Amino acid sequence: MSTGDNKTAEQDVNPTYAAEGEQETTAQDSQTEASEEVKEVSELEAARVQAEENYQRLLRVQADFDNFRRRARAEKEDFAKYASLKLIEQLLPIVDNFDRALSSSKETKDFDALVKGLDMTYRGIDQLLTAEGLKSIESVGHPFNPEFHQAVMQVESDEHEEGIVVEELQKGYMLKDKVIRPAMVKVSV
């Protein structure tokens, strides 16, 4: 073979190797693309799994919150239902004393003992209510204040200036800082 023939043979061989190289490169590219697709699919699957876990967690938290809301509402209803329990427990001994005073006065017809028993009962109730924060509104001799007083009459008075409470017809009461019943009063004109 001559050198010219060798060139032709090399030229014939080189395109074959070149085609095989291209096929290998294409195969490698295909494998790379396939591995990237597999990677993307596995990432997508992982994201789906995480999304499902988050969704299940959301459902559990929502159910827990609904249960909490139901429990809180039930506790609030129970609290409102039995809010006066403490006060009633404190009133029971006073009611017992009142009952004993009535029974004793019926049997003995001793009205002085009845008055004494009623007085003791009244003092017990007054002490209990004062301990709970109830206080009466002082009215007579003070200027009329519509926040604390309810004027039911106006009277002419030489002893008092205009707008002064002259007489208290019904006591008013405050519980701590809130007026629960204004005093019914006569006011000077």
Side-chain angles (χ1 to χ4, degrees):
M1 281 196 176
S2 68
T3 51
D5 289 337
N6 281 343
K7 278 187 178 179
T8 310
E10 285 177 10
Q11 287 174 355
D12 288 341
V13 171
N14 284 340
T16 304
Y17 287 127
E20 285 178 9
E22 286 178 16
Q23 287 176 355
E24 286 178 14
T25 306
T26 307
Q28 287 175 352
D29 288 345
S30 296
Q31 286 178 351
T32 305
E33 288 176 11
S35 67
E36 287 178 8
E37 286 179 13
V38 169
K39 186 178 176 183
E40 287 177 8
V41 167
S42 66
E43 287 178 0
L44 181 60
E45 189 59 34
R48 282 187 183 139
V49 168
Q50 186 177 3
E52 181 62 27
E53 288 174 3
N54 289 340
Y55 179 69
Q56 292 301 321
R57 190 176 307 132
L58 169 72
L59 291 178
R60 284 191 299 274
V61 168
Q62 194 172 23
D64 287 344
F65 182 70
D66 288 342
N67 290 338
F68 168 76
R69 202 172 9 180
R70 258 186 250 112
R71 270 194 318 273
R73 183 177 40 234
E75 288 173 3
K76 185 178 177 184
E77 288 171 0
D78 280 351
F79 179 75
K81 188 176 183 180
Y82 297 109
S84 59
L85 180 67
K86 179 184 165 201
L87 180 63
I88 289 174
E89 286 175 345
Q90 293 173 341
L91 279 172
L92 288 177
I94 296 169
V95 171
D96 291 340
N97 288 340
F98 189 66
D99 187 40
R100 281 192 287 273
L102 286 175
S103 296
S104 174
S105 66
K106 283 182 184 176
E107 292 173 7
T108 62
K109 302 288 186 202
D110 184 6
F111 293 110
D112 289 335
L114 175 65
V115 170
K116 185 177 178 182
L118 289 175
D119 184 51
M120 288 174 45
T121 303
Y122 175 76
R123 280 186 282 148
I125 290 174
D126 188 49
Q127 287 173 353
L128 172 67
L129 294 175
T130 301
E132 288 295 317
L134 185 75
K135 54 188 169 187
S136 61
I137 298 172
E138 297 297 324
S139 300
V140 177
H142 294 278
F144 174 76
N145 184 342
E147 293 178 14
F148 302 111
H149 306 120
Q150 178 181 358
V152 291
M153 294 180 72
Q154 289 183 337
V155 293
E156 291 185 21
S157 173
D158 296 332
E159 300 171 16
H160 301 286
E161 297 176 15
E162 185 177 333
I164 302 294
V165 175
V166 177
E167 185 180 342
E168 185 176 66
L169 303 173
Q170 184 180 47
K171 278 191 170 198
Y173 292 96
M174 293 180 67
L175 182 60
K176 297 181 174 129
D177 294 330
K178 182 179 180 180
V179 175
I180 59 173
R181 183 175 84 182
M184 277 198 224
V185 295
K186 289 182 183 179
V187 182
S188 64
V189 189

